Amino acid sequence: FMLTAYDQYGNRRPGGDHVDLLLEPIGDDGGEAQALSGAVVDSNDGSYTGSYRVTRAGRYSLDIRIATKTGAGSPFRVTVASAPADVHMTYVYGAILSARA
């Protein structure tokens, strides 16, 4: 996603701001999902590209922090859906493997 930073007077910032992303799981997932830091690329023109990699489906809260202050309309609620089944990651187990006809 893209973020464009402005100062208190509505002037676009030149870049160089310290921007952090934090994606935290929402709800009870048994403690398996961990908070994730996102990556931010500064375009040096006041715009930033943010990204994060999530490997577990669920609901998350995304905080965007500029100079350690939460802002830019965050926190945002993000829902990550499960990907379709992958035949290479799917396995069979149990009694069917030793059944006799």
Side-chain angles (χ1 to χ4, degrees):
F1 61 90
M2 296 290 296
L3 166 85
T4 304
Y6 292 87
D7 68 15
Q8 65 184 359
Y9 303 107
N11 300 305
R12 188 169 173 158
R13 297 278 302 142
D17 295 296
H18 185 81
V19 179
D20 289 311
L21 308 177
L22 182 64
L23 194 68
E24 296 182 281
I26 299 172
D28 182 24
D29 64 353
E32 292 188 27
Q34 301 292 321
L36 305 166
S37 294
V40 178
V41 176
D42 185 348
S43 298
N44 295 312
D45 63 358
S47 67
Y48 302 83
T49 302
S51 63
Y52 47 87
R53 181 183 165 116
V54 180
T55 58
R56 187 168 193 83
R59 295 180 312 135
Y60 294 84
S61 175
L62 173 63
D63 285 322
I64 299 173
R65 296 180 182 149
I66 303 172
T68 70
K69 294 182 182 177
T70 298
S74 73
F76 297 101
R77 300 293 180 241
V78 177
T79 300
V80 176
S82 177
D86 181 339
V87 70
H88 296 59
M89 299 295 288
T90 303
Y91 57 95
V92 177
Y93 58 95
I96 193 168
L97 299 178
S98 60
R100 293 186 179 152

